[in-house]
């Protein structure tokens, strides 16, 4: 007889910065499990976002840079 296990929970990709300034991308089942795993590794999180939030932030930053560059070119 073969034992059937439930399927593993889907993981979430997180992006975080540690207090020492290092950036990580880490997969975990939940924010709680992320914090537990990272703490067990001796790291201390300063900021944490899902990768979706991180990509949206990076896109927003790029739009801001493009706007500033365009404004500087037009005012010159």
């Amino acid at each position: 007889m073969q034992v059937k296990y439930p399927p593993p929970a889907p993981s979430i990709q997180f992006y975080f910065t540690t207090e020492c300034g290092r950036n990580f991308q880490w997969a975990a089942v939940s924010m709680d499990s992320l914090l537990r795993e990272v703490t067990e590794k001796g790291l201390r999180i300063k900021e944490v976002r899902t990768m979706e939030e991180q990509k949206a932030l990076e896109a927003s930053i790029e739009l801001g840079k493009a706007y500033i560059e365009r404004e500087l070119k037009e005012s010159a």
Side-chain angles (χ1 to χ4, degrees):
M1 183 170 98
Q2 191 174 19
V3 178
K4 292 191 177 191
Y5 295 100
S11 63
I12 304 166
Q13 291 290 327
F14 290 96
Y15 177 91
F16 65 90
T17 303
T18 61
E19 289 184 353
C20 63
R22 294 166 57 196
N23 297 319
F24 288 88
Q25 184 175 340
W26 199 292
V29 175
S30 67
M31 181 73 74
D32 290 336
S33 66
L34 170 74
L35 295 174
R36 184 175 50 253
E37 291 171 24
V38 170
T39 302
E40 288 173 357
K41 298 284 184 188
L43 300 170
R44 295 178 58 151
I45 293 177
K46 180 179 176 183
E47 289 183 84
V48 63
R49 292 180 278 284
T50 65
M51 281 306 294
E52 289 177 1
E53 293 169 332
Q54 180 64 24
K55 288 179 182 178
L57 176 62
E58 290 173 1
S60 176
I61 291 169
E62 288 302 315
L63 283 174
K65 286 180 182 178
Y67 174 79
I68 291 170
E69 288 175 6
R70 187 177 61 238
E71 289 296 313
L72 288 174
K73 287 179 183 176
E74 288 177 4
S75 65

